[in-house]
Amino acid sequence: MLTLGIEEEYLLLDPATALPVPMAEQVCAAVDLEPVVHEREIQPELLQAQVEVATPVCSDLAEASRHLLRLRHVVSSAAKRAGCRIAASGTAPRAGLAPVPVTRSARYLAMHSVAPQLVDEQLVNGMHVHVAIPDREVGVAVLNRVRPWLPVLVAMAANSPMWHGQDTGFASWRTVVYSRWPVSGPPPHFADLADYEERIQALFVAGAITDRGQLYWQARLSDRYPTIEVRCLDVQLRVDDAVMFAGIVRALVATAIRDEKTGPLLTPCTHELLSASNWHAARYGLDGVLVDPEGRRRGAEAVVLALLGHIGQALEEAGDTRQVSALVHRLLRRGTPADRQRRVLAADGIRALADLITEP
């Protein structure tokens, strides 16, 4: 069974104004009072109004759920002690007049000096799923087979409709914000591991990136762990939805490994079509149609169900079929978290929206 891990990024909001507040240092210090937290589980992020949590390596979804619930509780409690609240939203409901300060690290300060406006506007929060791979050569083959499904995940996980107090019209504005960096969006198709490494080296030579952390592809090989890292998901309002996506991503990786060994030859999706599909998914979420991995416009529900069919065997082997399928069908009934944000905003206003995204 493939192991997995989840990383989540949260906003820190003022409880009275719902504005982002630069209190990451205070929250991390308050977290240190918790006896059940390990040093690497909670870290500051790029901007001082964000924190990131990371689960340990997990064998199953139940274990991942327990750790994510624990970490959300710990960080929420620490934030309240520090005088703010954590928000599980891909973007902030409101923004102040002044930019949020950058976290004081050499890497982040260097990024700000190169791209100050991009960094100032990087107040976005995602969810990353790591899934174990046998080796990096297999990992590149997995990337090639997973990449056509990334826009579908973007649409399903959309949780960032707001920007500077306004509805952007996009379900995942976070996806658009990330697309402005030099190396971002769905990854290209790679011939093999050597091709992957050569193309990254070319980016260094060209000065497009200064470290491998600036490979903002929506899926990539991790340089810290023996994993595939899928990064296209907005952070989720609820833990059970986050765990659902972890199960889907693990099943996608398991299916890709199996298909690489025994399945049909892969016909690569062109990069321009995949990028356009990704934009469409970010714009509309599950509202109407999606572009499926073969480039066809189909009803969003049909494409999501095709994803479940594609990973069905892997879900069954992991014992995840009932849990993941039930949550996917709930998502199709209720709509995306972006849809929920819009409904609450329309019915009850910005304060109710802030309450929605800061519920534990």
Side-chain angles (χ1 to χ4, degrees):
M1 189 62 59
L2 301 178
T3 56
L4 73 156
I6 302 171
E7 298 168 346
E8 288 192 322
E9 298 159 348
Y10 310 130
L11 290 163
L12 302 175
L13 300 185
D14 184 296
T17 66
L19 290 170
V21 288
M23 299 187 68
E25 290 184 8
Q26 295 93 319
V27 170
C28 288
V31 162
D32 288 342
L33 301 175
E34 298 283 347
V36 294
V37 174
H38 301 289
E39 180 181 351
R40 289 183 292 181
E41 289 185 318
I42 301 176
Q43 301 289 336
E45 249 295 329
L46 174 61
L47 298 176
Q48 291 183 29
Q50 298 167 292
V51 293
E52 180 183 62
V53 303
T55 71
V57 176
C58 300
S59 299
D60 55 45
L61 297 189
E63 183 181 5
S65 180
R66 289 193 298 272
H67 281 299
L68 211 51
L69 284 166
R70 172 178 62 85
L71 290 169
R72 284 200 181 197
H73 173 75
V74 165
V75 180
S76 178
S77 298
K80 289 175 182 176
R81 284 198 297 272
C84 59
R85 300 172 77 180
I86 66 165
S89 175
T91 52
R94 302 180 62 203
L97 297 177
V100 174
V102 177
T103 296
R104 291 186 290 269
S105 80
R107 178 174 182 266
Y108 291 155
L109 292 171
M111 288 174 62
H112 190 265
S113 69
V114 171
Q117 190 68 29
L118 291 189
V119 171
D120 287 345
E121 295 185 0
Q122 196 67 15
L123 198 62
V124 294
N125 299 278
M127 169 189 167
H128 307 160
V129 180
H130 288 260
V131 179
I133 50 173
D135 57 64
R136 291 173 69 83
E137 191 74 63
V138 170
V140 171
V142 170
L143 283 178
N144 289 338
R145 290 183 177 273
V146 165
R147 62 192 283 273
W149 292 102
L150 296 176
V152 185
L153 297 181
V154 168
M156 294 171 67
N159 187 31
S160 51
M162 302 295 293
W163 190 250
H164 288 242
Q166 302 293 323
D167 189 330
T168 63
F170 279 73
S172 178
W173 187 247
R174 168 185 167 272
T175 298
V176 177
V177 171
Y178 252 110
S179 71
R180 300 180 298 181
W181 290 95
V183 185
S184 59
H189 182 273
F190 299 102
D192 50 27
L193 179 59
D195 182 42
Y196 180 86
E197 294 295 345
E198 287 168 7
R199 289 161 79 169
I200 292 173
Q201 183 59 32
L203 293 169
F204 279 107
V205 171
I209 59 174
T210 57
D211 61 64
R212 293 171 75 103
Q214 293 179 338
L215 297 170
Y216 294 132
W217 286 318
Q218 292 176 327
R220 67 187 185 186
L221 302 184
S222 172
D223 287 318
R224 291 187 297 168
Y225 310 112
T227 63
I228 288 286
E229 181 185 7
V230 173
R231 306 164 45 84
C232 64
L233 307 160
D234 287 355
V235 67
Q236 293 298 289
L237 288 174
R238 302 289 174 262
V239 166
D240 57 355
D241 287 323
V243 172
M244 172 192 74
F245 282 113
I248 290 171
V249 170
R250 177 166 69 171
L252 272 171
V253 172
T255 301
I257 292 173
R258 183 196 68 215
D259 287 352
E260 186 63 20
K261 294 178 179 177
T262 63
L265 293 176
L266 178 65
T267 302
C269 179
T270 64
H271 190 68
E272 63 272 16
L273 178 59
L274 194 55
S275 295
S277 301
N278 200 59
W279 187 95
H280 182 94
R283 169 63 179 87
Y284 296 103
L286 297 179
D287 184 14
V289 302
L290 285 174
V291 181
D292 73 10
E294 296 181 10
R296 301 171 298 182
R297 288 171 58 87
R298 300 172 62 195
E301 181 172 346
V303 177
V304 172
L305 294 178
L307 168 62
L308 277 183
H310 175 68
I311 62 176
Q313 180 179 335
L315 288 175
E316 188 68 30
E317 290 171 352
D320 295 339
T321 301
R322 177 176 297 182
Q323 179 179 359
V324 170
S325 296
L327 290 167
V328 168
H329 284 282
R330 187 183 73 176
L331 175 67
L332 291 172
R333 290 194 309 272
R334 295 183 178 181
T336 65
D339 295 325
R340 294 181 64 191
Q341 287 202 36
R342 286 185 169 124
R343 288 196 295 266
V344 168
L345 180 65
D348 300 306
I350 194 76
R351 182 56 62 86
L353 174 59
D355 289 341
L356 172 70
I357 64 176
T358 57
E359 289 177 7

